[in-house]
Amino acid sequence: MTVKGQLHACRDSLMAGMRASARGAAPNERAATLLRACLDLVEHLVRQSMDVKSGEVETTLGVLEQAYAELEAEVGATHAVSVSLRNAIGKLKALRIEMDAKPG
């Protein structure tokens, strides 16, 4: 999968989480805020996908992992939000591995 494709898949996972955070009787504002921040970072990478570096992916991955830890510690985080963030993290990890494996 291309860098841009991996980043789009990551973005799609985060967008699904944002939709999930808005559903239900009591939308989760904190989850929506965290996911929006993560989405902004990923969208920045998408815009520069031709020149994205492994270090930028690593930094973004760290932010997403921190957001996931915060959501897991929060009492009202829905399962769908957690799963979507975990999926986005998985996509970035796969991209990082793919980028590290490529010569040059």
Side-chain angles (χ1 to χ4, degrees):
M1 186 178 262
T2 66
V3 170
K4 194 169 191 170
Q6 290 275 35
L7 292 171
H8 277 286
C10 180
R11 183 193 65 197
D12 292 346
S13 293
L14 292 170
M15 289 174 74
M18 287 190 66
R19 286 189 299 274
S21 72
R23 285 194 300 260
N28 189 331
E29 302 270 336
R30 176 72 176 140
T33 301
L34 284 172
L35 288 170
R36 180 75 242 175
C38 292
L39 186 58
D40 288 345
L41 290 171
V42 171
E43 286 177 338
H44 175 74
L45 292 179
V46 168
R47 285 190 297 273
Q48 64 178 27
S49 63
M50 296 302 288
D51 298 319
V52 71
K53 306 284 186 258
S54 181
E56 295 166 316
V57 172
E58 186 68 38
T59 300
T60 303
L61 181 57
V63 172
L64 267 64
E65 288 173 334
Q66 180 62 37
Y68 179 77
E70 288 180 31
L71 280 177
E72 286 298 298
E74 185 177 302
V75 177
T78 64
H79 179 69
V81 170
S82 295
V83 167
S84 68
L85 192 48
R86 224 176 23 239
N87 287 341
I89 289 168
K91 303 284 185 208
L92 281 183
K93 284 183 177 179
L95 176 58
R96 181 190 60 198
I97 290 167
E98 186 177 315
M99 290 178 81
D100 288 345
K102 286 184 179 179

